[in-house]
Amino acid sequence: MFKRALADVFPKVEWHDNIPGDADELLDLLYEQARCGAFHDGQTRWRVLVKSLPAGSIAFSAERSTGRLNAIVIDCGNFLADIEHHFALYIHQLRNPENAEIRAAFTATWERAHAGGLLHVPPDV
């Protein structure tokens, strides 16, 4: 789920650009280094750098001689902006009555999670 969400929220990230391995390997590493580090250790793990990037939210750094990945760089400002943009887009889609499938999935998940009363999602205003 984490890997699907990253690919969806950050479609501009080159998940395999100039780095050996495939996108799944990079997403696994990001999961282990960033997500698991933050939630299990209270901080990201050793391969994650947090700093400004000239463009984008996530970048990968590799050794020039071997091409081996040595760092995942996350720009917190761009990272948060991309998440907020994705969330706003999702809310807009959710409020559109023509998106019956998205609305039904959201409602079913909400009712399953909260096990109470029906939920009404108002149309976009």
Side-chain angles (χ1 to χ4, degrees), residues 61-68 70:
S61 173
E63 294 177 24
R64 290 178 192 225
S65 59
T66 64
R68 190 172 144 236
N70 60 14

Side-chain angles (χ1 to χ4, degrees), residues 92-109:
H92 178 73
Q93 292 171 335
L94 187 62
R95 289 186 172 157
N96 182 345
E98 294 177 15
N99 292 327
E101 187 176 333
I102 292 173
R103 293 166 62 90
F106 177 86
T107 300
T109 300

Side-chain angles (χ1 to χ4, degrees), residues 78-118:
N78 291 339
F79 190 86
L80 182 58
D82 285 349
I83 292 171
E84 289 173 337
H85 173 75
H86 186 269
F87 185 71
L89 179 62
Y90 176 70
I91 295 301
H92 178 73
Q93 292 171 335
L94 187 62
R95 289 186 172 157
N96 182 345
E98 294 177 15
N99 292 327
E101 187 176 333
I102 292 173
R103 293 166 62 90
F106 177 86
T107 300
T109 300
W110 178 273
E111 290 172 353
R112 186 172 52 251
H114 298 284
L118 295 176

Side-chain angles (χ1 to χ4, degrees), residues 2 28-48 72 74:
F2 178 84
D28 284 341
L29 190 62
L30 188 60
Y31 177 81
E32 188 270 326
Q33 291 286 309
R35 186 264 176 215
C36 290
F39 287 97
H40 298 296
D41 303 340
Q43 62 185 14
T44 59
R45 294 186 177 152
W46 68 278
R47 285 190 177 178
V48 178
I72 301 163
I74 298 175

